[in-house]
Amino acid sequence: MDQTFVMVKPDGVARGLIGCIIMRLERKGLRLVAARLEKLPEKRVMEQYREHLDKPFFPSLRHFITSGPCFLMVWEGRDVVPVVRALVGLTDPAKAAPGTIRGDLAMDIGRNVVHASDTPESARREISIHFPESELCSYQQADEPFLYE
Ligand code: IDP
Ligand code: MG
């Protein structure tokens, strides 16, 4: 099964949206294999967002991501990376479609509630930044025969 890294950002945690976001991913049929509530050290924020280090918004992004706890997760499922990106919606919540997490739950590109890996390669990289192998749980879901043909 494919894996992806998903993170409820400090705005989502402060607004009490962790449960709502987990519920949406669980209901889809995805499997949670790791989770941790944590205030991220700057070093791991720089690693996670390395492609954005030179962007004008990076200083405010770094400041915001380290301003409070994040809820870090690894989710598993078939084609989970594009599936979760579709559930999350476009980066700018004003443009994100209704029904998506950002479309339904956020207003501003700098407060868009959730991060999700954009490719399988970045998913592998981001998972390894935040989770040692030993924290990834392997288990069966009872509904698996009804999720996949
Ligand atoms: P993504 O989160 O949808 O993958 P990216 O382009 O990878 O979007 O940007 C990472 C994060 O940086 C966004 O989720 C958002 O919080 C922030 N960001 C991106 N572009 C802007 C911007 O133009 N202004 C402010 N923040 C931005
Ligand atoms: Mg991105």
mmCIF file with all atom_site columns, all heavy atoms in Angstrom, residues 9 49 51-52 55 57 60-61 65 85 88-92 102 108-112 114-116 118, ligand 1:
data_model
loop_
_atom_site.group_PDB
_atom_site.id
_atom_site.type_symbol
_atom_site.label_atom_id
_atom_site.label_alt_id
_atom_site.label_comp_id
_atom_site.label_asym_id
_atom_site.label_entity_id
_atom_site.label_seq_id
_atom_site.pdbx_PDB_ins_code
_atom_site.Cartn_x
_atom_site.Cartn_y
_atom_site.Cartn_z
_atom_site.occupancy
_atom_site.B_iso_or_equiv
_atom_site.pdbx_formal_charge
_atom_site.auth_seq_id
_atom_site.auth_comp_id
_atom_site.auth_asym_id
_atom_site.auth_atom_id
_atom_site.pdbx_PDB_model_num
ATOM   1   N N   . LYS A 1 9   ? -2.066  21.729 10.664 1.00 0.00 ? 9   LYS A N   1
ATOM   2   C CA  . LYS A 1 9   ? -1.187  22.844 11.028 1.00 0.00 ? 9   LYS A CA  1
ATOM   3   C C   . LYS A 1 9   ? -1.707  23.499 12.319 1.00 0.00 ? 9   LYS A C   1
ATOM   4   O O   . LYS A 1 9   ? -2.827  23.209 12.767 1.00 0.00 ? 9   LYS A O   1
ATOM   5   C CB  . LYS A 1 9   ? -1.144  23.842 9.870  1.00 0.00 ? 9   LYS A CB  1
ATOM   6   C CG  . LYS A 1 9   ? -0.543  23.256 8.582  1.00 0.00 ? 9   LYS A CG  1
ATOM   7   C CD  . LYS A 1 9   ? -0.529  24.303 7.473  1.00 0.00 ? 9   LYS A CD  1
ATOM   8   C CE  . LYS A 1 9   ? -0.013  23.743 6.172  1.00 0.00 ? 9   LYS A CE  1
ATOM   9   N NZ  . LYS A 1 9   ? 0.020   24.775 5.091  1.00 0.00 ? 9   LYS A NZ  1
ATOM   10  N N   . TYR A 1 49  ? 9.785   21.824 4.201  1.00 0.00 ? 49  TYR A N   1
ATOM   11  C CA  . TYR A 1 49  ? 9.425   22.852 3.211  1.00 0.00 ? 49  TYR A CA  1
ATOM   12  C C   . TYR A 1 49  ? 10.644  23.305 2.418  1.00 0.00 ? 49  TYR A C   1
ATOM   13  O O   . TYR A 1 49  ? 10.724  24.453 2.019  1.00 0.00 ? 49  TYR A O   1
ATOM   14  C CB  . TYR A 1 49  ? 8.769   24.038 3.925  1.00 0.00 ? 49  TYR A CB  1
ATOM   15  C CG  . TYR A 1 49  ? 7.351   23.775 4.383  1.00 0.00 ? 49  TYR A CG  1
ATOM   16  C CD1 . TYR A 1 49  ? 7.034   23.756 5.734  1.00 0.00 ? 49  TYR A CD1 1
ATOM   17  C CD2 . TYR A 1 49  ? 6.313   23.568 3.460  1.00 0.00 ? 49  TYR A CD2 1
ATOM   18  C CE1 . TYR A 1 49  ? 5.722   23.526 6.166  1.00 0.00 ? 49  TYR A CE1 1
ATOM   19  C CE2 . TYR A 1 49  ? 5.011   23.332 3.886  1.00 0.00 ? 49  TYR A CE2 1
ATOM   20  C CZ  . TYR A 1 49  ? 4.723   23.320 5.231  1.00 0.00 ? 49  TYR A CZ  1
ATOM   21  O OH  . TYR A 1 49  ? 3.425   23.093 5.654  1.00 0.00 ? 49  TYR A OH  1
ATOM   22  N N   . GLU A 1 51  ? 11.680  23.090 -0.562 1.00 0.00 ? 51  GLU A N   1
ATOM   23  C CA  . GLU A 1 51  ? 11.502  23.716 -1.887 1.00 0.00 ? 51  GLU A CA  1
ATOM   24  C C   . GLU A 1 51  ? 10.998  25.156 -1.792 1.00 0.00 ? 51  GLU A C   1
ATOM   25  O O   . GLU A 1 51  ? 10.952  25.863 -2.783 1.00 0.00 ? 51  GLU A O   1
ATOM   26  C CB  . GLU A 1 51  ? 10.586  22.866 -2.786 1.00 0.00 ? 51  GLU A CB  1
ATOM   27  C CG  . GLU A 1 51  ? 9.107   22.913 -2.467 1.00 0.00 ? 51  GLU A CG  1
ATOM   28  C CD  . GLU A 1 51  ? 8.653   21.802 -1.514 1.00 0.00 ? 51  GLU A CD  1
ATOM   29  O OE1 . GLU A 1 51  ? 9.446   21.420 -0.602 1.00 0.00 ? 51  GLU A OE1 1
ATOM   30  O OE2 . GLU A 1 51  ? 7.505   21.343 -1.659 1.00 0.00 ? 51  GLU A OE2 1
ATOM   31  N N   . HIS A 1 52  ? 10.606  25.572 -0.569 1.00 0.00 ? 52  HIS A N   1
ATOM   32  C CA  . HIS A 1 52  ? 10.053  26.923 -0.405 1.00 0.00 ? 52  HIS A CA  1
ATOM   33  C C   . HIS A 1 52  ? 10.988  27.872 0.345  1.00 0.00 ? 52  HIS A C   1
ATOM   34  O O   . HIS A 1 52  ? 10.600  29.005 0.635  1.00 0.00 ? 52  HIS A O   1
ATOM   35  C CB  . HIS A 1 52  ? 8.721   26.859 0.351  1.00 0.00 ? 52  HIS A CB  1
ATOM   36  C CG  . HIS A 1 52  ? 7.661   26.085 -0.368 1.00 0.00 ? 52  HIS A CG  1
ATOM   37  N ND1 . HIS A 1 52  ? 7.317   26.331 -1.671 1.00 0.00 ? 52  HIS A ND1 1
ATOM   38  C CD2 . HIS A 1 52  ? 6.856   25.059 0.034  1.00 0.00 ? 52  HIS A CD2 1
ATOM   39  C CE1 . HIS A 1 52  ? 6.357   25.485 -2.044 1.00 0.00 ? 52  HIS A CE1 1
ATOM   40  N NE2 . HIS A 1 52  ? 6.062   24.696 -1.034 1.00 0.00 ? 52  HIS A NE2 1
ATOM   41  N N   . LYS A 1 55  ? 11.227  31.347 -1.022 1.00 0.00 ? 55  LYS A N   1
ATOM   42  C CA  . LYS A 1 55  ? 9.987   32.052 -1.382 1.00 0.00 ? 55  LYS A CA  1
ATOM   43  C C   . LYS A 1 55  ? 9.733   33.214 -0.413 1.00 0.00 ? 55  LYS A C   1
ATOM   44  O O   . LYS A 1 55  ? 10.097  33.143 0.764  1.00 0.00 ? 55  LYS A O   1
ATOM   45  C CB  . LYS A 1 55  ? 8.790   31.094 -1.329 1.00 0.00 ? 55  LYS A CB  1
ATOM   46  C CG  . LYS A 1 55  ? 8.918   29.852 -2.179 1.00 0.00 ? 55  LYS A CG  1
ATOM   47  C CD  . LYS A 1 55  ? 8.355   30.051 -3.572 1.00 0.00 ? 55  LYS A CD  1
ATOM   48  C CE  . LYS A 1 55  ? 8.666   28.872 -4.487 1.00 0.00 ? 55  LYS A CE  1
ATOM   49  N NZ  . LYS A 1 55  ? 7.993   27.635 -4.095 1.00 0.00 ? 55  LYS A NZ  1
ATOM   50  N N   . PHE A 1 57  ? 7.094   34.074 1.042  1.00 0.00 ? 57  PHE A N   1
ATOM   51  C CA  . PHE A 1 57  ? 6.206   33.739 2.162  1.00 0.00 ? 57  PHE A CA  1
ATOM   52  C C   . PHE A 1 57  ? 6.872   32.804 3.178  1.00 0.00 ? 57  PHE A C   1
ATOM   53  O O   . PHE A 1 57  ? 6.297   32.517 4.231  1.00 0.00 ? 57  PHE A O   1
ATOM   54  C CB  . PHE A 1 57  ? 4.895   33.109 1.659  1.00 0.00 ? 57  PHE A CB  1
ATOM   55  C CG  . PHE A 1 57  ? 5.075   31.822 0.882  1.00 0.00 ? 57  PHE A CG  1
ATOM   56  C CD1 . PHE A 1 57  ? 5.244   30.601 1.525  1.00 0.00 ? 57  PHE A CD1 1
ATOM   57  C CD2 . PHE A 1 57  ? 5.055   31.838 -0.511 1.00 0.00 ? 57  PHE A CD2 1
ATOM   58  C CE1 . PHE A 1 57  ? 5.407   29.426 0.820  1.00 0.00 ? 57  PHE A CE1 1
ATOM   59  C CE2 . PHE A 1 57  ? 5.227   30.658 -1.240 1.00 0.00 ? 57  PHE A CE2 1
ATOM   60  C CZ  . PHE A 1 57  ? 5.403   29.454 -0.563 1.00 0.00 ? 57  PHE A CZ  1
ATOM   61  N N   . SER A 1 60  ? 7.191   33.852 7.072  1.00 0.00 ? 60  SER A N   1
ATOM   62  C CA  . SER A 1 60  ? 5.927   33.827 7.822  1.00 0.00 ? 60  SER A CA  1
ATOM   63  C C   . SER A 1 60  ? 5.395   32.402 7.958  1.00 0.00 ? 60  SER A C   1
ATOM   64  O O   . SER A 1 60  ? 4.817   32.038 8.991  1.00 0.00 ? 60  SER A O   1
ATOM   65  C CB  . SER A 1 60  ? 4.883   34.764 7.200  1.00 0.00 ? 60  SER A CB  1
ATOM   66  O OG  . SER A 1 60  ? 4.551   34.326 5.918  1.00 0.00 ? 60  SER A OG  1
ATOM   67  N N   . LEU A 1 61  ? 5.624   31.564 6.937  1.00 0.00 ? 61  LEU A N   1
ATOM   68  C CA  . LEU A 1 61  ? 5.210   30.151 7.021  1.00 0.00 ? 61  LEU A CA  1
ATOM   69  C C   . LEU A 1 61  ? 5.967   29.453 8.160  1.00 0.00 ? 61  LEU A C   1
ATOM   70  O O   . LEU A 1 61  ? 5.361   28.794 9.015  1.00 0.00 ? 61  LEU A O   1
ATOM   71  C CB  . LEU A 1 61  ? 5.487   29.450 5.689  1.00 0.00 ? 61  LEU A CB  1
ATOM   72  C CG  . LEU A 1 61  ? 5.218   27.938 5.619  1.00 0.00 ? 61  LEU A CG  1
ATOM   73  C CD1 . LEU A 1 61  ? 3.745   27.610 5.804  1.00 0.00 ? 61  LEU A CD1 1
ATOM   74  C CD2 . LEU A 1 61  ? 5.719   27.350 4.294  1.00 0.00 ? 61  LEU A CD2 1
ATOM   75  N N   . ILE A 1 65  ? 4.193   27.881 11.429 1.00 0.00 ? 65  ILE A N   1
ATOM   76  C CA  . ILE A 1 65  ? 4.208   26.418 11.651 1.00 0.00 ? 65  ILE A CA  1
ATOM   77  C C   . ILE A 1 65  ? 4.829   26.074 13.008 1.00 0.00 ? 65  ILE A C   1
ATOM   78  O O   . ILE A 1 65  ? 4.464   25.084 13.640 1.00 0.00 ? 65  ILE A O   1
ATOM   79  C CB  . ILE A 1 65  ? 4.942   25.686 10.495 1.00 0.00 ? 65  ILE A CB  1
ATOM   80  C CG1 . ILE A 1 65  ? 4.160   25.833 9.178  1.00 0.00 ? 65  ILE A CG1 1
ATOM   81  C CG2 . ILE A 1 65  ? 5.169   24.207 10.815 1.00 0.00 ? 65  ILE A CG2 1
ATOM   82  C CD1 . ILE A 1 65  ? 2.812   25.150 9.121  1.00 0.00 ? 65  ILE A CD1 1
ATOM   83  N N   . ARG A 1 85  ? -4.540  14.516 -1.649 1.00 0.00 ? 85  ARG A N   1
ATOM   84  C CA  . ARG A 1 85  ? -4.447  15.880 -2.207 1.00 0.00 ? 85  ARG A CA  1
ATOM   85  C C   . ARG A 1 85  ? -5.818  16.332 -2.726 1.00 0.00 ? 85  ARG A C   1
ATOM   86  O O   . ARG A 1 85  ? -6.196  17.491 -2.563 1.00 0.00 ? 85  ARG A O   1
ATOM   87  C CB  . ARG A 1 85  ? -3.422  15.924 -3.342 1.00 0.00 ? 85  ARG A CB  1
ATOM   88  C CG  . ARG A 1 85  ? -1.989  15.811 -2.877 1.00 0.00 ? 85  ARG A CG  1
ATOM   89  C CD  . ARG A 1 85  ? -1.454  17.045 -2.216 1.00 0.00 ? 85  ARG A CD  1
ATOM   90  N NE  . ARG A 1 85  ? -1.242  18.160 -3.108 1.00 0.00 ? 85  ARG A NE  1
ATOM   91  C CZ  . ARG A 1 85  ? -0.554  19.248 -2.794 1.00 0.00 ? 85  ARG A CZ  1
ATOM   92  N NH1 . ARG A 1 85  ? 0.007   19.362 -1.585 1.00 0.00 ? 85  ARG A NH1 1
ATOM   93  N NH2 . ARG A 1 85  ? -0.417  20.238 -3.650 1.00 0.00 ? 85  ARG A NH2 1
ATOM   94  N N   . VAL A 1 88  ? -7.939  17.258 0.195  1.00 0.00 ? 88  VAL A N   1
ATOM   95  C CA  . VAL A 1 88  ? -7.460  18.486 0.847  1.00 0.00 ? 88  VAL A CA  1
ATOM   96  C C   . VAL A 1 88  ? -7.858  19.719 0.051  1.00 0.00 ? 88  VAL A C   1
ATOM   97  O O   . VAL A 1 88  ? -8.250  20.737 0.626  1.00 0.00 ? 88  VAL A O   1
ATOM   98  C CB  . VAL A 1 88  ? -5.920  18.419 1.050  1.00 0.00 ? 88  VAL A CB  1
ATOM   99  C CG1 . VAL A 1 88  ? -5.332  19.787 1.346  1.00 0.00 ? 88  VAL A CG1 1
ATOM   100 C CG2 . VAL A 1 88  ? -5.591  17.438 2.176  1.00 0.00 ? 88  VAL A CG2 1
ATOM   101 N N   . GLY A 1 89  ? -7.767  19.657 -1.268 1.00 0.00 ? 89  GLY A N   1
ATOM   102 C CA  . GLY A 1 89  ? -8.149  20.791 -2.111 1.00 0.00 ? 89  GLY A CA  1
ATOM   103 C C   . GLY A 1 89  ? -6.989  21.716 -2.412 1.00 0.00 ? 89  GLY A C   1
ATOM   104 O O   . GLY A 1 89  ? -5.876  21.537 -1.928 1.00 0.00 ? 89  GLY A O   1
ATOM   105 N N   . LEU A 1 90  ? -7.265  22.738 -3.242 1.00 0.00 ? 90  LEU A N   1
ATOM   106 C CA  . LEU A 1 90  ? -6.225  23.666 -3.691 1.00 0.00 ? 90  LEU A CA  1
ATOM   107 C C   . LEU A 1 90  ? -5.612  24.423 -2.520 1.00 0.00 ? 90  LEU A C   1
ATOM   108 O O   . LEU A 1 90  ? -6.253  24.626 -1.488 1.00 0.00 ? 90  LEU A O   1
ATOM   109 C CB  . LEU A 1 90  ? -6.809  24.659 -4.706 1.00 0.00 ? 90  LEU A CB  1
ATOM   110 C CG  . LEU A 1 90  ? -7.282  24.069 -6.037 1.00 0.00 ? 90  LEU A CG  1
ATOM   111 C CD1 . LEU A 1 90  ? -7.879  25.164 -6.927 1.00 0.00 ? 90  LEU A CD1 1
ATOM   112 C CD2 . LEU A 1 90  ? -6.161  23.337 -6.755 1.00 0.00 ? 90  LEU A CD2 1
ATOM   113 N N   . THR A 1 91  ? -4.355  24.876 -2.726 1.00 0.00 ? 91  THR A N   1
ATOM   114 C CA  . THR A 1 91  ? -3.587  25.554 -1.671 1.00 0.00 ? 91  THR A CA  1
ATOM   115 C C   . THR A 1 91  ? -4.338  26.760 -1.113 1.00 0.00 ? 91  THR A C   1
ATOM   116 O O   . THR A 1 91  ? -4.346  26.987 0.104  1.00 0.00 ? 91  THR A O   1
ATOM   117 C CB  . THR A 1 91  ? -2.222  25.996 -2.239 1.00 0.00 ? 91  THR A CB  1
ATOM   118 O OG1 . THR A 1 91  ? -1.570  24.854 -2.796 1.00 0.00 ? 91  THR A OG1 1
ATOM   119 C CG2 . THR A 1 91  ? -1.343  26.597 -1.159 1.00 0.00 ? 91  THR A CG2 1
ATOM   120 N N   . ASP A 1 92  ? -4.950  27.551 -1.999 1.00 0.00 ? 92  ASP A N   1
ATOM   121 C CA  . ASP A 1 92  ? -5.700  28.744 -1.570 1.00 0.00 ? 92  ASP A CA  1
ATOM   122 C C   . ASP A 1 92  ? -7.141  28.357 -1.250 1.00 0.00 ? 92  ASP A C   1
ATOM   123 O O   . ASP A 1 92  ? -7.903  27.996 -2.152 1.00 0.00 ? 92  ASP A O   1
ATOM   124 C CB  . ASP A 1 92  ? -5.661  29.793 -2.685 1.00 0.00 ? 92  ASP A CB  1
ATOM   125 C CG  . ASP A 1 92  ? -6.328  31.089 -2.264 1.00 0.00 ? 92  ASP A CG  1
ATOM   126 O OD1 . ASP A 1 92  ? -6.964  31.130 -1.194 1.00 0.00 ? 92  ASP A OD1 1
ATOM   127 O OD2 . ASP A 1 92  ? -6.217  32.067 -3.029 1.00 0.00 ? 92  ASP A OD2 1
ATOM   128 N N   . ARG A 1 102 ? -9.887  22.152 2.662  1.00 0.00 ? 102 ARG A N   1
ATOM   129 C CA  . ARG A 1 102 ? -9.618  23.600 2.621  1.00 0.00 ? 102 ARG A CA  1
ATOM   130 C C   . ARG A 1 102 ? -10.824 24.385 2.124  1.00 0.00 ? 102 ARG A C   1
ATOM   131 O O   . ARG A 1 102 ? -11.086 25.495 2.593  1.00 0.00 ? 102 ARG A O   1
ATOM   132 C CB  . ARG A 1 102 ? -8.389  23.874 1.757  1.00 0.00 ? 102 ARG A CB  1
ATOM   133 C CG  . ARG A 1 102 ? -7.075  23.446 2.439  1.00 0.00 ? 102 ARG A CG  1
ATOM   134 C CD  . ARG A 1 102 ? -5.940  23.416 1.442  1.00 0.00 ? 102 ARG A CD  1
ATOM   135 N NE  . ARG A 1 102 ? -4.634  23.199 2.056  1.00 0.00 ? 102 ARG A NE  1
ATOM   136 C CZ  . ARG A 1 102 ? -3.535  22.905 1.358  1.00 0.00 ? 102 ARG A CZ  1
ATOM   137 N NH1 . ARG A 1 102 ? -3.592  22.773 0.052  1.00 0.00 ? 102 ARG A NH1 1
ATOM   138 N NH2 . ARG A 1 102 ? -2.382  22.734 1.979  1.00 0.00 ? 102 ARG A NH2 1
ATOM   139 N N   . ASP A 1 108 ? -7.912  31.451 4.209  1.00 0.00 ? 108 ASP A N   1
ATOM   140 C CA  . ASP A 1 108 ? -6.721  32.212 3.830  1.00 0.00 ? 108 ASP A CA  1
ATOM   141 C C   . ASP A 1 108 ? -5.580  31.253 3.477  1.00 0.00 ? 108 ASP A C   1
ATOM   142 O O   . ASP A 1 108 ? -5.396  30.243 4.177  1.00 0.00 ? 108 ASP A O   1
ATOM   143 C CB  . ASP A 1 108 ? -6.330  33.102 5.036  1.00 0.00 ? 108 ASP A CB  1
ATOM   144 C CG  . ASP A 1 108 ? -5.223  34.085 4.733  1.00 0.00 ? 108 ASP A CG  1
ATOM   145 O OD1 . ASP A 1 108 ? -4.105  33.657 4.361  1.00 0.00 ? 108 ASP A OD1 1
ATOM   146 O OD2 . ASP A 1 108 ? -5.454  35.294 4.905  1.00 0.00 ? 108 ASP A OD2 1
ATOM   147 N N   . ILE A 1 109 ? -4.808  31.575 2.444  1.00 0.00 ? 109 ILE A N   1
ATOM   148 C CA  . ILE A 1 109 ? -3.709  30.696 1.998  1.00 0.00 ? 109 ILE A CA  1
ATOM   149 C C   . ILE A 1 109 ? -2.657  30.488 3.098  1.00 0.00 ? 109 ILE A C   1
ATOM   150 O O   . ILE A 1 109 ? -2.029  29.437 3.181  1.00 0.00 ? 109 ILE A O   1
ATOM   151 C CB  . ILE A 1 109 ? -3.062  31.229 0.696  1.00 0.00 ? 109 ILE A CB  1
ATOM   152 C CG1 . ILE A 1 109 ? -2.169  30.172 0.041  1.00 0.00 ? 109 ILE A CG1 1
ATOM   153 C CG2 . ILE A 1 109 ? -2.301  32.532 0.950  1.00 0.00 ? 109 ILE A CG2 1
ATOM   154 C CD1 . ILE A 1 109 ? -1.780  30.488 -1.386 1.00 0.00 ? 109 ILE A CD1 1
ATOM   155 N N   . GLY A 1 110 ? -2.507  31.466 3.974  1.00 0.00 ? 110 GLY A N   1
ATOM   156 C CA  . GLY A 1 110 ? -1.555  31.347 5.086  1.00 0.00 ? 110 GLY A CA  1
ATOM   157 C C   . GLY A 1 110 ? -2.133  30.650 6.315  1.00 0.00 ? 110 GLY A C   1
ATOM   158 O O   . GLY A 1 110 ? -1.453  30.487 7.328  1.00 0.00 ? 110 GLY A O   1
ATOM   159 N N   . ARG A 1 111 ? -3.399  30.260 6.222  1.00 0.00 ? 111 ARG A N   1
ATOM   160 C CA  . ARG A 1 111 ? -4.070  29.545 7.325  1.00 0.00 ? 111 ARG A CA  1
ATOM   161 C C   . ARG A 1 111 ? -4.946  28.457 6.706  1.00 0.00 ? 111 ARG A C   1
ATOM   162 O O   . ARG A 1 111 ? -6.161  28.444 6.889  1.00 0.00 ? 111 ARG A O   1
ATOM   163 C CB  . ARG A 1 111 ? -4.951  30.505 8.156  1.00 0.00 ? 111 ARG A CB  1
ATOM   164 C CG  . ARG A 1 111 ? -4.191  31.640 8.853  1.00 0.00 ? 111 ARG A CG  1
ATOM   165 C CD  . ARG A 1 111 ? -3.340  31.137 10.022 1.00 0.00 ? 111 ARG A CD  1
ATOM   166 N NE  . ARG A 1 111 ? -2.709  32.242 10.728 1.00 0.00 ? 111 ARG A NE  1
ATOM   167 C CZ  . ARG A 1 111 ? -1.526  32.783 10.417 1.00 0.00 ? 111 ARG A CZ  1
ATOM   168 N NH1 . ARG A 1 111 ? -0.830  32.311 9.382  1.00 0.00 ? 111 ARG A NH1 1
ATOM   169 N NH2 . ARG A 1 111 ? -1.034  33.784 11.114 1.00 0.00 ? 111 ARG A NH2 1
ATOM   170 N N   . ASN A 1 112 ? -4.276  27.532 5.959  1.00 0.00 ? 112 ASN A N   1
ATOM   171 C CA  . ASN A 1 112 ? -5.062  26.556 5.191  1.00 0.00 ? 112 ASN A CA  1
ATOM   172 C C   . ASN A 1 112 ? -5.151  25.175 5.857  1.00 0.00 ? 112 ASN A C   1
ATOM   173 O O   . ASN A 1 112 ? -5.406  24.163 5.213  1.00 0.00 ? 112 ASN A O   1
ATOM   174 C CB  . ASN A 1 112 ? -4.564  26.478 3.744  1.00 0.00 ? 112 ASN A CB  1
ATOM   175 C CG  . ASN A 1 112 ? -3.110  26.058 3.627  1.00 0.00 ? 112 ASN A CG  1
ATOM   176 O OD1 . ASN A 1 112 ? -2.470  25.707 4.630  1.00 0.00 ? 112 ASN A OD1 1
ATOM   177 N ND2 . ASN A 1 112 ? -2.586  26.071 2.418  1.00 0.00 ? 112 ASN A ND2 1
ATOM   178 N N   . VAL A 1 114 ? -4.119  22.409 6.752  1.00 0.00 ? 114 VAL A N   1
ATOM   179 C CA  . VAL A 1 114 ? -3.563  21.072 6.601  1.00 0.00 ? 114 VAL A CA  1
ATOM   180 C C   . VAL A 1 114 ? -2.449  21.053 5.554  1.00 0.00 ? 114 VAL A C   1
ATOM   181 O O   . VAL A 1 114 ? -2.453  21.851 4.614  1.00 0.00 ? 114 VAL A O   1
ATOM   182 C CB  . VAL A 1 114 ? -4.715  20.085 6.277  1.00 0.00 ? 114 VAL A CB  1
ATOM   183 C CG1 . VAL A 1 114 ? -5.253  20.290 4.888  1.00 0.00 ? 114 VAL A CG1 1
ATOM   184 C CG2 . VAL A 1 114 ? -4.323  18.642 6.500  1.00 0.00 ? 114 VAL A CG2 1
ATOM   185 N N   . HIS A 1 115 ? -1.485  20.176 5.770  1.00 0.00 ? 115 HIS A N   1
ATOM   186 C CA  . HIS A 1 115 ? -0.443  19.883 4.774  1.00 0.00 ? 115 HIS A CA  1
ATOM   187 C C   . HIS A 1 115 ? -0.627  18.443 4.321  1.00 0.00 ? 115 HIS A C   1
ATOM   188 O O   . HIS A 1 115 ? -0.941  17.569 5.126  1.00 0.00 ? 115 HIS A O   1
ATOM   189 C CB  . HIS A 1 115 ? 0.960   20.026 5.401  1.00 0.00 ? 115 HIS A CB  1
ATOM   190 C CG  . HIS A 1 115 ? 2.040   19.437 4.538  1.00 0.00 ? 115 HIS A CG  1
ATOM   191 N ND1 . HIS A 1 115 ? 2.667   20.149 3.546  1.00 0.00 ? 115 HIS A ND1 1
ATOM   192 C CD2 . HIS A 1 115 ? 2.568   18.179 4.486  1.00 0.00 ? 115 HIS A CD2 1
ATOM   193 C CE1 . HIS A 1 115 ? 3.545   19.363 2.932  1.00 0.00 ? 115 HIS A CE1 1
ATOM   194 N NE2 . HIS A 1 115 ? 3.508   18.155 3.483  1.00 0.00 ? 115 HIS A NE2 1
ATOM   195 N N   . ALA A 1 116 ? -0.390  18.196 3.019  1.00 0.00 ? 116 ALA A N   1
ATOM   196 C CA  . ALA A 1 116 ? -0.357  16.815 2.525  1.00 0.00 ? 116 ALA A CA  1
ATOM   197 C C   . ALA A 1 116 ? 0.716   16.714 1.448  1.00 0.00 ? 116 ALA A C   1
ATOM   198 O O   . ALA A 1 116 ? 0.852   17.621 0.617  1.00 0.00 ? 116 ALA A O   1
ATOM   199 C CB  . ALA A 1 116 ? -1.711  16.410 1.960  1.00 0.00 ? 116 ALA A CB  1
ATOM   200 N N   . ASP A 1 118 ? 2.808   16.032 -1.893 1.00 0.00 ? 118 ASP A N   1
ATOM   201 C CA  . ASP A 1 118 ? 2.291   16.228 -3.259 1.00 0.00 ? 118 ASP A CA  1
ATOM   202 C C   . ASP A 1 118 ? 2.684   15.129 -4.249 1.00 0.00 ? 118 ASP A C   1
ATOM   203 O O   . ASP A 1 118 ? 2.075   15.037 -5.315 1.00 0.00 ? 118 ASP A O   1
ATOM   204 C CB  . ASP A 1 118 ? 2.677   17.620 -3.796 1.00 0.00 ? 118 ASP A CB  1
ATOM   205 C CG  . ASP A 1 118 ? 4.184   17.858 -3.835 1.00 0.00 ? 118 ASP A CG  1
ATOM   206 O OD1 . ASP A 1 118 ? 4.959   16.974 -3.386 1.00 0.00 ? 118 ASP A OD1 1
ATOM   207 O OD2 . ASP A 1 118 ? 4.584   18.930 -4.319 1.00 0.00 ? 118 ASP A OD2 1
HETATM 208 P P1  . IDP B 2 .   ? 0.455   22.967 -0.631 1.00 0.00 ? 1   IDP B P1  1
HETATM 209 O O1  . IDP B 2 .   ? 0.399   23.056 0.877  1.00 0.00 ? 1   IDP B O1  1
HETATM 210 O O2  . IDP B 2 .   ? -0.927  22.986 -1.237 1.00 0.00 ? 1   IDP B O2  1
HETATM 211 O O3  . IDP B 2 .   ? 1.301   21.815 -1.125 1.00 0.00 ? 1   IDP B O3  1
HETATM 212 P P2  . IDP B 2 .   ? 2.652   24.700 -1.402 1.00 0.00 ? 1   IDP B P2  1
HETATM 213 O O4  . IDP B 2 .   ? 2.724   25.483 -2.678 1.00 0.00 ? 1   IDP B O4  1
HETATM 214 O O5  . IDP B 2 .   ? 3.538   23.515 -1.281 1.00 0.00 ? 1   IDP B O5  1
HETATM 215 O O6  . IDP B 2 .   ? 1.126   24.320 -1.152 1.00 0.00 ? 1   IDP B O6  1
HETATM 216 O O7  . IDP B 2 .   ? 2.966   25.727 -0.214 1.00 0.00 ? 1   IDP B O7  1
HETATM 217 C C1  . IDP B 2 .   ? 3.203   25.247 1.088  1.00 0.00 ? 1   IDP B C1  1
HETATM 218 C C2  . IDP B 2 .   ? 2.465   26.116 2.068  1.00 0.00 ? 1   IDP B C2  1
HETATM 219 O O8  . IDP B 2 .   ? 3.015   27.430 2.041  1.00 0.00 ? 1   IDP B O8  1
HETATM 220 C C3  . IDP B 2 .   ? 0.971   26.324 1.753  1.00 0.00 ? 1   IDP B C3  1
HETATM 221 O O9  . IDP B 2 .   ? 0.160   25.287 2.243  1.00 0.00 ? 1   IDP B O9  1
HETATM 222 C C4  . IDP B 2 .   ? 0.684   27.629 2.431  1.00 0.00 ? 1   IDP B C4  1
HETATM 223 O O10 . IDP B 2 .   ? 0.478   27.447 3.831  1.00 0.00 ? 1   IDP B O10 1
HETATM 224 C C5  . IDP B 2 .   ? 1.986   28.386 2.237  1.00 0.00 ? 1   IDP B C5  1
HETATM 225 N N1  . IDP B 2 .   ? 1.909   29.246 1.042  1.00 0.00 ? 1   IDP B N1  1
HETATM 226 C C6  . IDP B 2 .   ? 2.054   28.878 -0.252 1.00 0.00 ? 1   IDP B C6  1
HETATM 227 N N2  . IDP B 2 .   ? 1.920   29.919 -1.084 1.00 0.00 ? 1   IDP B N2  1
HETATM 228 C C7  . IDP B 2 .   ? 1.689   30.983 -0.295 1.00 0.00 ? 1   IDP B C7  1
HETATM 229 C C8  . IDP B 2 .   ? 1.463   32.378 -0.549 1.00 0.00 ? 1   IDP B C8  1
HETATM 230 O O11 . IDP B 2 .   ? 1.446   32.836 -1.700 1.00 0.00 ? 1   IDP B O11 1
HETATM 231 N N3  . IDP B 2 .   ? 1.257   33.172 0.545  1.00 0.00 ? 1   IDP B N3  1
HETATM 232 C C9  . IDP B 2 .   ? 1.273   32.702 1.820  1.00 0.00 ? 1   IDP B C9  1
HETATM 233 N N4  . IDP B 2 .   ? 1.480   31.403 2.107  1.00 0.00 ? 1   IDP B N4  1
HETATM 234 C C10 . IDP B 2 .   ? 1.676   30.555 1.064  1.00 0.00 ? 1   IDP B C10 1
#
